[in-house]
Amino acid sequence: MSSNPSPDVTTAFLFPGQGGFDGEALRRAKERHPQIGRVFARLDAVTEELYGSRVSEVLFGERKADLRDLLDNDPWASQVAIYGAGLAAYEILTAQGVAPDVLAGHSLGEITALVAAGAFSVEDGVRIVARRVAVIERQGGVDGRMVALAASAERTRKLLELVDEPLLAVATENHDEQTVVSGPAGILDRVVAIAGQLDVGAIEIDTPFPFHTPALAPAAPEFAAYVRKLDQRPLNRPVYSPILQRYYEPGDALADLLAEHFTRPVRFAAAVRHLRETGAEVFVEAGGRAALSKLVAKVTDGSAVRSLPTLALTGGRLALDGTLDALREAGLAAPERGGLAELLAPSVPADVFAAYWSERGHMVLELVRTELDAFRKSTEGRGAEPESRPAAAVEPEPAAAVEPEPAAAVEPEPAAAVEPEPAAEAAPAPAPEAPAAPASSARPEGYGRDQLFGELRTLYAEALEYPEDVFEDEVQLEAELGVDSVKQVELLSRVSSRYGLPPRESGFRLATYNTMGKITDFVLQQLNDRGAHTPASATG
C-alpha cells in the first residue's frame, strides 16, 4: 500500500524522543491497561538477551525509576523506556478504537512510529534502539550534550556562527521560540555562555548522548549495515518524517534513511504545520510526558487544533483518562463498555464495536446532535414545560453522569436545552418551592470575587479530590488538570444548585468557561444579574 494518507487527515499520533518518559504515569497506567504489560514483556526478551536485564524490572520494580535516574544508572534503559512507552500508548489508544490517519515521531520517536506502522517487529525495534546507542557510545558520544535555546532556528544558527565549530549543529527546530543545539560538551558551554550574554535562555536536554550532529557521521554506516539485516515490512499506516520532511514510501530503504537521522535535524515545527495544512485537527502524543503536545499548541496557536497528552501527569492525574474522554466526545474513540456500547450492542465483542465506532462513530454523534437540536426547537415552540419545574430541579446532577457519551460528554450545550427559558419565566419569584431563597440565605450580603473564588475552589477540590492550591485563577480545567467535560457539567450543576442560579441560556458554551477564574466571573455575573449587592472592589 502507499504510505501517503488519504485527503481525509484528521488525527495524528506523535511519538516523543529524548525526555519523553514519565515513570510514575507509566506505572499508574499499567495498573489499568494490560497493553503496557504485554508490550514490555516483549521488550524484556530482547533486553535480557542484549543487557542481561529485563527492562520491566528496571521500570516497574521496587525502585521507582524516573528519567534522570535511568540516565545516571541505566542509559540503555532510558532509550528503551521511551520507545516502549510510545508503543504501549499506541496499543492502548488503538484498543479503544482510535484510528490515526498518520503517525509521526520526534527523533527516537520516529523509530517508534515505524514499528507502530508495522515496518519492523516490536522486538526488532528494541534492537534498532539498542544498536543506535551502541554505535554512538563507540564514537565517543558520551562526551556530547544537547541544549535547548529560547530562540528561533535562524537566530540560533547565527549564534553558532560566532563559535565557528563544525561539530556544532541545530539538532531540532521545535517551534519559533525553541531550537535545540547538539555537539561536544565543552563547546556547548561556550554556546550557553554567549546565549546568556544575549539574554537567550538555555536548558540542557535529558539525553545520554548528542543526536543529529555531524559528529555522529562515522557511526551511521555501521548502524545502517545492522538495520539492513532486519526484516523490513510494508507500512500499514502512513508515517510522516519530520527529519525527511515527507512521508515514507513503499520503496524506501529504511536502514539508510534511519542512518541519516544521526546527522540531519528534526524540523518538528515544519512537520506539524504541514500536517495541519493537510487537515490534521487532533494531535495525540503517544508516549511519556507532555512535551510534544505542548509544542503542538505553540506551533498551532490560534487555530482550532486539539493537542492531547497520554502517559503524563496533569494536576496529579493521568492525562490518558482525559484524552480518552475527549476522543470519545469527538467520536474518535469507542464509548466505554457499560455505557453506550453496552446499551446499543451488548452482544457485540468489544473489539468489533471499537472498530465500528472508529469508522462510524462521528456519523452517529452528528445524527444525535441534529436530532437533539430539532427536538429542542420543537419543545420551545410548545410553550412552557408541564408543571413549570423550578430552575435548579431541571438539571439534576446524575443526568450528566449517567449517560455522558451521547449528550453531555459530546455536546455540553444541550444541557441548557432541558431547562428552557419559558420554564424559568413561568416560575414566579415568590414561589415557596423555588430553591433561590435558601441559596441566597447561604450567600452573605456584599459577596466579593475573592470570597466566591475561595468557595468555588473548595467545592471543586473536594469533588475532584485535588489539593485546593492547584486551582489557580488561570489553570485550564481540562488541558492542565484533566477535568473532562462530563465532570465539568456535573460541577456546574452543583454550583447552580448551591447558589440558586437561573437556567443557563441556550447559547451557553462550556468551553468558554475553561478556567476557575472564568467560572468565578460567570457565577458572580449571574448573582449580580439577580440583583445581589456586590461591592465595587469585589470585581477587581
Side-chain angles (χ1 to χ4, degrees):
M1 62 170 283
S2 170
S3 59
N4 284 325
S6 69
D8 249 352
V9 176
T10 299
T11 307
F13 279 11
L14 306 176
F15 298 89
Q18 300 309 313
F21 175 73
D22 186 326
E24 180 60 28
L26 185 67
R27 283 188 290 271
R28 289 196 195 181
K30 184 175 181 289
E31 295 174 359
R32 299 201 308 254
H33 298 280
Q35 292 85 0
I36 294 177
R38 290 198 290 266
V39 166
F40 277 89
R42 296 182 68 177
L43 308 191
D44 283 340
V46 182
T47 61
E48 193 165 28
E49 167 196 323
L50 297 176
Y51 303 106
S53 178
R54 298 164 64 86
V55 70
S56 289
E57 294 175 356
V58 176
L59 301 181
F60 306 120
E62 292 183 5
R63 184 189 74 184
K64 292 187 176 181
D66 59 18
L67 184 60
R68 187 68 260 168
D69 177 71
L70 294 177
L71 290 170
D72 291 340
N73 299 294
D74 303 288
W76 66 267
S78 72
Q79 303 299 285
V80 176
I82 294 168
Y83 165 76
L87 280 184
Y90 177 81
E91 293 294 332
I92 293 169
L93 291 164
T94 54
Q96 295 289 332
V98 188
D101 300 300
V102 61
L103 310 179
H106 190 291
S107 190
L108 168 63
E110 201 156 314
I111 298 173
T112 318
L114 288 168
V115 171
F120 300 100
S121 70
V122 171
E123 291 78 8
D124 279 349
V126 182
R127 295 185 178 98
I128 293 171
V129 170
R131 183 54 60 111
R132 186 172 182 256
V133 171
V135 297
I136 292 174
E137 283 183 320
R138 281 197 286 274
Q139 293 297 325
V142 290
D143 294 327
R145 295 164 51 202
M146 298 181 77
V147 173
L149 300 180
S152 67
E154 181 181 2
R155 188 180 185 192
T156 299
R157 289 190 179 92
K158 290 180 179 178
L159 189 154
L160 296 187
E161 289 175 2
L162 298 176
V163 180
D164 192 24
E165 167 54 56
L167 296 183
L168 276 177
V170 168
T172 65
E173 301 172 16
N174 286 332
H175 60 81
D176 291 342
E177 296 177 0
Q178 187 185 88
T179 305
V180 177
V181 177
S182 180
I187 299 172
L188 273 178
D189 288 338
R190 292 168 55 195
V191 173
V192 172
I194 294 173
Q197 293 295 319
L198 298 174
D199 291 327
V200 173
I203 301 175
E204 187 157 352
I205 301 294
D206 286 331
T207 174
F209 318 110
F211 296 98
H212 313 290
T213 167
L216 298 182
E222 178 188 343
F223 177 77
Y226 176 81
V227 177
R228 281 192 206 101
K229 298 176 184 178
L230 303 177
D231 182 22
Q232 179 181 326
R233 307 166 181 173
L235 298 177
N236 55 38
R237 290 192 189 278
V239 178
Y240 187 84
S241 170
I243 295 175
L244 305 176
Q245 287 294 296
R246 66 171 175 84
Y247 285 92
Y248 282 97
E249 294 291 347
D252 283 338
L254 297 183
D256 296 330
L257 294 179
L258 288 174
E260 288 184 24
H261 292 189
F262 280 51
T263 56
R264 294 181 63 168
V266 180
R267 297 180 59 209
F268 183 74
V272 171
R273 290 190 181 101
H274 173 78
L275 294 175
R276 178 70 189 100
E277 289 167 1
T278 55
E281 298 177 347
V282 179
F283 291 82
V284 183
E285 182 173 357
R289 292 197 176 174
L292 297 190
S293 51
K294 291 176 181 176
L295 291 181
V296 170
K298 288 182 177 294
V299 173
T300 62
D301 186 31
S303 64
V305 164
R306 300 205 71 174
S307 179
L308 306 169
T310 51
L311 298 179
L313 297 180
T314 56
R317 300 182 69 183
L318 187 64
L320 177 62
D321 298 336
T323 289
L324 288 174
D325 286 340
L327 292 170
R328 291 185 187 110
E329 292 169 19
L332 299 174
E336 289 185 282
R337 269 299 185 190
L340 186 60
E342 192 69 30
L343 176 67
L344 296 179
S347 62
V348 175
D351 58 339
V352 175
F353 188 86
Y356 163 80
W357 195 263
S358 175
E359 182 177 331
R360 307 285 183 86
H362 66 286
M363 293 188 290
V364 175
L365 293 177
E366 186 58 36
L367 176 62
V368 171
R369 293 188 187 103
T370 302
E371 292 290 331
L372 279 174
D373 189 55
F375 178 77
R376 177 179 62 82
K377 292 177 180 177
S378 68
T379 56
E380 286 177 349
R382 298 175 195 161
E385 287 281 341
E387 300 180 7
S388 297
R389 292 173 295 170
V394 299
E395 48 171 5
E397 292 177 17
V402 170
E403 190 177 343
E405 294 88 358
V410 177
E411 181 91 32
E413 297 86 310
V418 298
E419 41 176 324
E421 293 179 9
E425 295 170 358
E433 67 272 17
S440 298
S441 63
R443 179 177 52 79
E445 192 74 359
Y447 225 104
R449 187 185 188 280
D450 290 345
Q451 181 180 348
L452 180 60
F453 182 89
E455 291 182 5
L456 292 175
R457 182 169 62 177
T458 299
L459 187 154
Y460 274 62
E462 291 176 352
L464 297 169
E465 298 183 352
Y466 278 12
E468 284 193 22
D469 57 7
V470 306
F471 292 96
E472 299 173 350
D473 200 275
E474 296 299 323
V475 69
Q476 300 277 332
L477 292 177
E478 182 169 358
E480 296 181 64
L481 299 183
V483 185
D484 59 66
S485 58
V486 178
K487 194 65 178 178
Q488 290 183 52
V489 170
E490 178 187 340
L491 290 168
L492 274 179
S493 295
R494 293 191 190 185
V495 171
S496 296
S497 177
R498 173 171 177 172
Y499 293 97
L501 303 183
R504 293 190 287 276
E505 298 178 356
S506 60
F508 180 87
R509 294 291 183 271
L510 182 68
T512 304
Y513 304 95
N514 59 350
T515 68
M516 285 304 301
K518 291 178 181 178
I519 290 172
T520 301
D521 293 337
F522 168 74
V523 174
L524 190 62
Q525 182 63 50
Q526 295 286 300
L527 294 174
N528 287 342
D529 289 347
R530 292 184 53 205
H533 170 64
T534 305
S537 60
T539 60

